[in-house]
Amino acid sequence: MFQQQIKIGFLNPYSSLYPNYSQHILAGLFLGMGEDPLKQDKIKFVPHYTDTGSVQKTKDAVRKLINFDQVDMLSGLISYAVLPEIVPMLESRDKLGFFFDSGEYIPYFDYLSPNTFFSSNQLWQSEFALGQWARSEYGEGGMMVMPLLESGYHLHSAFQKGFSMGGGGELLLSVLPFDEENPHDLDMNALFKKIKDQAPPFVHAIFSGEGGNEFLIRWVEEGLNGEVPLVVAEHMMYEEWLQDVKDLEIQCYSSSLYDPAINTKENEVFKREFQQTTGQPVNIFALLGYEAGMMFREVYPSMKKRDWGKVQNLLQEEHIVGPRGERDFYPDSGFALPEVNITKMNSSSGSINKNIIAKGKRLAYNHHIFDDIRKAVPSGWFNPLFCV
């Protein structure tokens, strides 16, 4: 008897920083399932463009995918900020949602739906661990710097919480001026004058994409390299972005939730399969997809039978052991705490060297220390991180 393909709607906002992220997620997902990404024999993903991921665009996409395309499930890249609007739409139609995010927000579920699951990179955990380490290493009086676009997420708030748990004290915040006509333009002149005038014990930088490289170049040009300790957000150290500044003589510190060089069987298989299939090195979106695919492989027999109650139960209860260890996808099952490494990076003459110098501390997303962040007035940033 003919078996109809499982159809999954894929919410696809635009990212100028990672324009191919959705292809990387889906290639990773099929590889994690043990399937050929080009064939999509068992599952067909139906993409829908959601612009920058606003509430209205996302709602319109969910409505179309469920009612017109008649998908069996929903997936894609979203911000937690849109969940209150789309969860009722899923529940009213008994649909499951399996979503991806970079972890720019500390999860804040007023209502945790049993229908929604998350493959999150938990970048906020990386920032929390980095804040604790920076306070113990350098003391109080540090300065955080970032563009306005980064200031609307929870990354700097998580760093501050880690800093307070590491001993607390003064931590300055400097947000770059914003040009609405040119949102990617970074005016750093006043920032570097402020850093030189105040000579903080360390600077913590949170930038994305080319903005991060622009900051690192200015940091060296201004003569601050080696004079003031520089602590940067994890995503500023992604290999695909560092290639453009690898000739800089620079030293800085960061944190890492995933080390591509980790020597485990699961990681070696992941890297080899992704490289052979796509011709590209792995990145964080490929990893998120691959981890999800390992879970989809476990639940596919129930998906094939369209036993969505069984699929729901399995997604709530099961975990996988992937390239970076244990992962699960339902917050109430605990969200397995990721390993966080504090790293020292040196670049010189075209080579990039990263060394682990400490283990970072983690906390559960629903720990009471984060209550004030969850209860704060939302910034209005509905677009996922990198989606500008």
Side-chain angles (χ1 to χ4, degrees):
M1 186 174 70
F2 173 72
Q3 177 65 47
Q4 188 178 10
Q5 274 182 313
I6 302 296
K7 287 204 301 184
I8 300 179
F10 195 88
L11 304 170
N12 197 164
Y14 169 73
S15 172
S16 60
L17 305 179
Y18 273 103
N20 299 316
Y21 76 85
S22 61
Q23 291 95 322
H24 292 161
I25 287 177
L26 293 180
L29 190 147
F30 281 107
L31 291 172
M33 286 187 68
E35 300 293 324
D36 183 347
L38 297 178
K39 292 183 178 178
Q40 296 195 23
D41 287 340
K42 296 179 177 178
I43 297 176
K44 177 180 176 59
F45 281 86
V46 182
H48 189 95
Y49 176 62
T50 59
D51 197 24
T52 56
S54 69
V55 171
Q56 192 58 51
K57 293 281 188 180
T58 304
K59 285 176 65 176
D60 290 345
V62 170
R63 190 174 291 113
K64 176 187 178 293
L65 288 166
I66 290 177
N67 296 318
F68 181 77
D69 297 296
Q70 296 188 324
V71 298
D72 299 292
M73 279 182 65
L74 266 293
S75 187
L77 192 71
I78 67 163
S79 163
Y80 289 142
V82 305
L83 284 175
E85 297 294 332
I86 65 174
V87 163
M89 301 171 70
L90 293 175
E91 292 187 338
S92 67
R93 298 297 297 273
D94 290 325
K95 300 291 184 183
L96 303 182
F98 191 103
F99 301 113
F100 296 89
D101 67 271
S102 296
E104 66 273 19
Y105 283 120
I106 298 172
Y108 51 108
F109 304 114
D110 290 334
Y111 163 63
L112 180 59
S113 171
N115 291 44
T116 52
F117 305 90
F118 306 93
S119 179
S120 172
N121 193 40
Q122 300 187 53
L123 273 178
W124 66 269
Q125 287 274 20
S126 185
E127 283 292 299
F128 175 78
L130 201 55
Q132 273 201 313
W133 176 82
R135 176 61 180 83
S136 64
E137 191 74 12
Y138 302 115
E140 62 178 294
M143 181 186 296
M144 280 197 296
V145 300
M146 69 198 75
L148 182 69
L149 292 175
E150 270 71 15
S151 70
Y153 301 113
H154 285 165
L155 298 179
H156 65 91
S157 302
F159 185 90
Q160 287 178 307
K161 284 299 180 184
F163 190 82
S164 66
M165 287 197 74
E170 184 181 20
L171 184 62
L172 304 175
L173 175 62
S174 184
V175 178
L176 298 185
F178 183 68
D179 182 356
E180 290 189 9
E181 299 298 320
N182 189 0
H184 292 290
D185 181 57
L186 301 176
D187 182 356
M188 301 186 192
N189 294 329
L191 169 65
F192 279 102
K193 183 179 186 305
K194 186 176 181 180
I195 293 172
K196 290 179 178 180
D197 289 345
Q198 299 195 4
F202 73 92
V203 168
H204 176 44
I206 306 176
F207 290 80
S208 295
E210 290 301 317
N213 289 343
E214 188 178 336
F215 175 84
L216 293 175
I217 291 169
R218 281 292 299 272
W219 183 263
V220 173
E221 290 176 347
E222 296 288 340
L224 293 168
N225 189 39
E227 297 298 316
V228 177
L230 177 61
V231 181
V232 303
E234 171 176 334
H235 50 281
M236 290 176 66
M237 292 290 103
Y238 287 166
E239 294 289 336
E240 55 269 32
W241 286 340
L242 281 179
Q243 294 306 309
D244 292 336
V245 292
K246 62 185 179 182
D247 290 325
L248 280 180
E249 299 277 342
I250 193 165
Q251 172 181 301
C252 62
Y253 301 88
S254 189
S255 50
S256 175
L257 294 163
Y258 169 63
D259 180 4
I262 190 172
N263 186 23
T264 65
K265 177 183 176 182
E266 293 83 2
N267 191 47
E268 291 303 319
V269 170
F270 164 54
K271 290 194 297 181
R272 181 177 66 250
E273 290 184 347
F274 191 81
Q275 177 78 43
Q276 290 176 347
T277 302
T278 67
Q280 299 177 32
V282 299
N283 59 35
I284 197 60
F285 290 108
L287 176 63
L288 290 173
Y290 191 84
E291 291 169 334
M294 294 182 73
M295 177 59 81
F296 273 50
R297 187 174 192 166
E298 298 299 314
V299 304
Y300 179 73
S302 298
M303 294 171 73
K304 185 177 180 180
K305 297 175 184 176
R306 285 177 164 72
D307 185 349
W308 299 110
K310 179 67 172 177
V311 172
Q312 182 184 54
N313 289 337
L314 289 171
L315 289 174
Q316 289 176 359
E317 298 167 1
E318 298 297 317
H319 68 271
I320 56 99
V321 178
R324 56 174 162 180
E326 183 179 347
R327 298 278 284 161
D328 57 61
F329 306 96
Y330 188 59
D332 252 12
S333 65
F335 260 169
L337 295 180
E339 292 291 326
V340 186
N341 293 317
I342 307 300
T343 60
K344 180 179 180 180
M345 190 279 283
N346 288 281
S347 66
S348 176
S349 303
S351 66
I352 298 167
N353 300 301
K354 296 180 184 177
N355 296 300
I356 298 172
I357 59 173
K359 289 289 184 182
K361 296 181 180 178
R362 301 83 45 84
L363 272 187
Y365 80 92
N366 54 0
H367 192 284
H368 66 83
I369 191 175
F370 301 124
D371 284 350
D372 59 335
I373 296 176
R374 282 192 289 268
K375 293 174 182 175
V377 176
S379 66
W381 268 236
F382 294 109
N383 55 309
L385 183 66
F386 309 133
C387 290
V388 291

